[in-house]
Amino acid sequence: MAKNQTLKITEMDRYLFGQGTHYEIYKLMGAHPTKQKGKDGVYFAVWAPRAQEVAVVGDFNGWDPNKNIMKCDNDMGIYQLFIPGVKSGDLYKFCITSPSGELLYKADPYANYAEKRPGNASRVYDITNFKWNDSVWMKNRQNYDVNKNAMSIYEVHPGSWRKHPQNEHDEDGFYNYRELAHSLAEYVKDMGYTHVELMGIAEHPFDGSWGYQVTGYYAPTSRYGTPDDFQYFVNYMHKNKIGVILDWVPAHFPKDAHGLADFDGTPTYEYADPRKGEHPDWGTKVFDYEKNEVKNFLIANALFWMEQYHIDGLRVDAVASMLYLDYGRENGQWVPNKYGENKNLEAIEFFKHLNTVVLGRNKGTVMIAEESTAWPKVTAHPEEGGLGFSLKWNMGWMHDFLEYMKLDPYFRQYNHHKMTFSLTYAYSENYVLVLSHDEVVHLKCSMINKMPGLGQDKIENLKVGYSYMLGHPGKKLLFMGQEFGQYQEWSEARELDWYLTAESSHRELRDYVKELLKMYKKYPALYATDHTEGAFEWINADDASRSIYSFIRKSPTGRNNLLFVINCTPVARDDYRVGVPKKKQYRLVLNSKDPKFGGNVPVEKTVYMAQKKECDGREFSFAYPLPAYGVAVFTY
């Protein structure tokens, strides 16, 4: 909308908002620098349906609730006011008089910027001034197909990836979004990830929530700079051919007095019945998916990040908590739906609407569900009875994988199925394999300290695990620090233990992960057939006594198929024979024991010719000296 155009919420705007289909409502709600009747100022609008009165208070009027009282000329409860002289950077809140006469000082739900914590006021900001120059990326993005293209995600918490030394002027040590853009892009490009997924970008009051308790859905957190700085970050990532995914939290919000809870003195954004409107486990409020205005707030927010900030995907947090009315609740703490079931019918419809609109308007973007149950058809189209997500986190694979990898290698033979079970359902959804921040906090140990043994044994186990993850169907996600074997559990309060990369063993682990990511992008067999049944084939899923797995990933063209052989014990098999599908040459393209990764088994021979010798129930086979904790990948 032009800056000199008079902003006003019309009858049509109110109608669409009431229907839940005003997809650009954020261009009217909130605070927008503009010009009216020749005067520069800011137009304010807020939805407070049960308020007696609403005023804008800020540092421009001494925070006096009697000076700038807003007008409400409709029964929807939308209040609006233009205040001349207010400018970008000014702090403000809405002072809402509740039905009982109480004065509530609320941050703006649609604010584009906020005061840095511990302050909690909103800040006027014009986000339309930034000059984007990522048009090549945005054009190419329209052709991105998550079912056929590579996706390897580096999950990052910006405040703790790297920090400056703390001093009296900067006790946080945070990198600014612009500094982060340069250092992170260089690292991610060097490693070979295709995307970064950022935690905690939407404004939140408490660092320890990691950004999962949001008070400013339309504001990139001021911890790391301004909205322009964040736009610079996304723009710079795109210029370096790196996609940006944000964690997004439409499930719940905190009870902080300045936030959305009881916004106009009554349950406004949350369900009124506490059995639906509160999470007993988390002490938070649950969005009311029956209210069109609330659904509009959330769907427009998803579109806002995609269309205003050029974000390439949203990872939707805590989907299961939205789908199940009894999630985290005991008997008597929840209300069944009209059919007497535990499904939240409004949340189901919300997801279908959300995903249809967001993906329909933004071709090539992705919506990823963090859904921890066996809810069917999360990634199926709504017209097929699905929720419409692009991808779903594979929590079942993650749980089984970690349980197996934690075991002493001797006991792995009795748990062999833990690594094969996920293949029985690998094509039921479009999956992302995840080793996320959730697995390296709350006394769960860092990834390397989950591994059995001491020192180098832990690193060898991690290489084996990451290799299996690479070969298993599904997109990939690894949390920061896991790639070089961080020892400490992750904490938002300190930077990663980068000093470890001065040690050869940790550097070699990182080099190995880098090699896996390079292979991943090089061979379409590892990504283009992730969701194609039959493109994964076991050679031997049952070699439990030796804890060895062998399987094939097939490429869409039949060229450069890959054969994986993975030894999960410290016992070398000097003449390991593996069955193969054809009498062809098999070329070794990865040897985990290569000296460049800290190994001690240099490769003498890279090409193996299959012989007519039965093995693994196949007519042809060849023998390969498989080292202890050895991973061998062949192409044919």
Side-chain angles (χ1 to χ4, degrees):
M1 198 168 285
K3 288 178 191 175
N4 57 2
Q5 184 179 338
T6 299
L7 291 180
K8 184 172 170 48
I9 289 175
T10 65
E11 198 170 322
M12 178 54 81
D13 293 319
R14 287 197 292 273
Y15 170 76
L16 293 172
F17 187 52
Q19 295 294 305
T21 56
H22 199 317
Y23 299 130
E24 295 181 358
I25 189 69
Y26 56 82
K27 292 183 177 176
L28 293 167
M29 293 288 206
H32 300 277
T34 185
K35 187 177 276 198
Q36 291 194 11
K37 296 180 181 173
K39 292 183 177 176
D40 289 323
V42 173
Y43 167 82
F44 295 91
V46 66
W47 176 61
R50 315 236 345 233
Q52 286 191 45
E53 186 176 88
V54 182
V56 184
V57 295
D59 45 15
F60 44 82
N61 65 12
W63 301 90
D64 184 343
N66 299 308
K67 285 194 173 166
N68 295 113
I69 293 167
M70 302 179 80
K71 299 179 180 69
C72 180
D73 57 0
N74 61 83
D75 55 8
M76 271 190 86
I78 296 176
Y79 291 78
Q80 40 192 338
L81 182 68
F82 173 75
I83 309 177
V86 180
K87 57 192 182 303
S88 271
D90 285 349
L91 293 173
Y92 71 98
K93 281 187 177 180
F94 294 116
C95 177
I96 296 172
T97 306
S98 76
S100 66
E102 185 185 0
L103 295 187
L104 306 171
Y105 290 84
K106 292 286 189 177
D108 177 2
Y110 290 87
N112 291 139
Y113 192 31
E115 186 180 16
K116 188 178 174 185
R117 54 104 176 95
N120 56 36
S122 300
R123 198 181 282 279
V124 175
Y125 201 91
D126 188 346
I127 63 168
T128 63
N129 290 326
F130 184 79
K131 299 287 186 283
W132 292 90
N133 55 9
D134 63 347
S135 56
V136 173
W137 173 273
M138 295 298 281
K139 187 179 177 195
N140 290 340
R141 184 173 84 178
Q142 295 184 31
N143 300 318
Y144 181 82
D145 181 349
V146 77
N147 293 314
K148 294 177 183 166
N149 293 106
M151 179 179 271
S152 54
I153 303 167
Y154 189 51
E155 188 190 27
V156 175
H157 177 265
S160 58
W161 187 67
R162 286 191 188 275
K163 281 182 181 281
H164 295 299
Q166 295 175 342
N167 58 51
E168 59 189 298
H169 305 297
D170 180 13
E171 60 183 30
D172 293 316
F174 293 141
Y175 272 39
N176 174 280
Y177 288 120
R178 292 174 189 254
E179 294 176 295
L180 183 70
H182 287 261
S183 59
L184 188 59
E186 183 183 6
Y187 187 78
V188 165
K189 263 177 85 170
D190 180 56
M191 286 299 294
Y193 293 98
T194 64
H195 291 71
V196 293
E197 179 181 314
L198 300 181
M199 296 166 60
I201 291 301
E203 192 58 82
H204 53 284
F206 177 48
D207 289 18
S209 78
W210 311 332
Y212 292 111
Q213 297 198 7
V214 177
T215 48
Y217 277 80
Y218 286 83
T221 178
S222 53
R223 285 167 177 79
Y224 318 126
T226 67
D228 273 15
D229 293 336
F230 183 62
Q231 289 176 94
Y232 179 94
F233 173 91
V234 178
N235 190 65
Y236 190 82
M237 287 288 158
H238 285 172
K239 287 173 74 178
N240 282 277
K241 300 181 179 170
I242 299 163
V244 181
I245 298 166
L246 295 191
D247 274 5
W248 188 60
V249 193
H252 63 126
F253 55 89
K255 295 180 180 177
D256 295 66
H258 70 282
L260 296 176
D262 292 313
F263 186 74
D264 61 8
T266 69
T268 310
Y269 285 87
E270 67 269 44
Y271 286 109
D273 185 335
R275 292 173 300 171
K276 285 182 84 171
E278 297 206 17
H279 268 304
D281 284 355
W282 301 335
T284 53
K285 297 280 193 178
V286 180
F287 281 107
D288 182 349
Y289 311 107
E290 280 186 70
K291 282 187 190 150
N292 286 339
E293 297 88 347
V294 173
K295 287 187 284 190
N296 202 145
F297 171 79
L298 290 169
I299 292 169
N301 183 241
L303 291 166
F304 167 82
W305 290 112
M306 299 275 197
E307 296 173 4
Q308 297 296 305
Y309 279 93
H310 296 196
I311 296 300
D312 304 295
L314 298 175
R315 195 280 283 184
V316 183
D317 183 62
V319 167
S321 76
M322 298 168 65
L323 293 172
Y324 296 96
L325 294 163
D326 58 349
Y327 186 93
R329 295 175 174 88
E330 305 291 332
N331 285 339
Q333 291 184 326
W334 63 283
V335 190
N337 66 26
K338 62 185 178 182
Y339 304 116
E341 301 167 336
N342 67 344
K343 297 174 181 173
N344 187 328
L345 302 176
E346 303 99 53
I348 294 167
E349 286 311 307
F350 165 75
F351 281 132
K352 292 177 178 182
H353 185 175
L354 167 78
N355 291 323
T356 303
V357 171
V358 171
L359 298 173
R361 282 174 57 130
N362 298 278
K363 204 162 178 288
T365 59
V366 292
M367 295 292 286
I368 306 169
E370 187 229 356
E371 202 285 309
S372 52
T373 74
W375 187 281
K377 297 189 174 182
V378 172
T379 56
H381 290 296
E383 52 267 36
E384 297 163 0
L387 297 181
F389 283 96
S390 320
L391 295 162
K392 167 178 163 160
W393 273 23
N394 195 335
M395 312 291 271
W397 170 85
M398 176 274 298
H399 181 267
D400 289 345
F401 171 85
L402 291 178
E403 287 300 307
Y404 180 86
M405 292 306 302
K406 285 178 195 171
L407 291 169
D408 182 294
Y410 175 79
F411 294 106
R412 287 178 178 165
Q413 60 188 309
Y414 307 115
N415 293 268
H416 197 72
H417 65 282
K418 279 191 163 65
M419 294 287 259
T420 60
F421 178 66
S422 55
L423 270 304
T424 64
Y425 61 84
Y427 300 103
S428 61
E429 300 278 5
N430 300 340
Y431 283 116
V432 189
L433 306 185
V434 292
L435 294 173
S436 76
H437 68 277
D438 272 331
E439 308 321 312
V440 292
V441 290
H442 302 323
L443 304 180
K444 292 180 188 171
C445 295
S446 65
M447 200 56 64
I448 196 167
N449 277 333
K450 294 181 198 292
M451 300 298 117
L454 299 168
Q456 193 62 29
D457 269 357
K458 288 182 175 295
I459 283 177
E460 296 308 318
N461 271 286
L462 213 43
K463 287 179 187 171
V464 165
Y466 290 160
S467 304
Y468 188 83
M469 181 183 185
L470 174 82
H472 191 292
K475 308 306 174 193
K476 321 296 175 193
L477 179 145
L478 206 57
F479 181 57
M480 63 182 199
Q482 297 179 6
E483 74 279 12
F484 63 77
Q486 160 128 345
Y487 280 126
Q488 294 189 89
E489 281 194 335
W490 171 66
S491 164
E492 80 285 346
R494 59 173 182 260
E495 77 166 10
L496 296 182
D497 295 341
W498 291 106
Y499 65 86
L500 288 173
T501 57
E503 297 179 18
S504 59
S505 57
H506 290 271
R507 207 166 50 246
E508 285 153 0
L509 172 62
R510 185 173 66 181
D511 288 345
Y512 186 70
V513 172
K514 186 170 160 181
E515 185 71 16
L516 293 179
L517 291 167
K518 186 172 139 192
M519 271 187 67
Y520 175 71
K521 287 203 288 196
K522 180 177 178 180
Y523 292 102
L526 293 173
Y527 60 79
T529 56
D530 268 334
H531 310 135
T532 308
E533 279 199 74
F536 176 97
E537 186 181 323
W538 284 111
I539 295 293
N540 193 337
D542 301 314
D543 195 353
S545 63
R546 295 187 289 187
S547 298
I548 295 173
Y549 299 89
S550 51
F551 56 85
I552 287 168
R553 292 296 303 273
K554 299 174 187 175
S555 82
T557 61
R559 296 182 61 183
N560 288 324
N561 300 316
L562 296 174
L563 165 67
F564 281 73
V565 184
I566 299 176
N567 181 3
C568 297
T569 71
V571 181
R573 309 289 175 182
D574 294 333
D575 198 26
Y576 188 79
R577 185 161 287 278
V578 59
V580 291
K582 293 178 177 173
K583 189 178 182 180
K584 295 230 173 219
Q585 286 189 339
Y586 292 79
R587 186 167 57 84
L588 185 68
V589 290
L590 179 71
N591 161 33
S592 65
K593 291 296 188 171
D594 192 305
K596 68 183 174 184
F597 309 127
N600 55 1
V601 186
V603 175
E604 310 293 336
K605 182 179 172 186
T606 57
V607 177
Y608 292 79
M609 189 68 201
Q611 305 163 305
K612 190 167 184 181
K613 190 168 183 178
E614 193 279 332
C615 182
D616 297 323
R618 295 176 186 260
E619 188 180 357
F620 303 106
S621 65
F622 69 87
Y624 168 78
L626 187 62
Y629 291 131
V631 176
V633 183
F634 304 86
T635 181
Y636 69 95

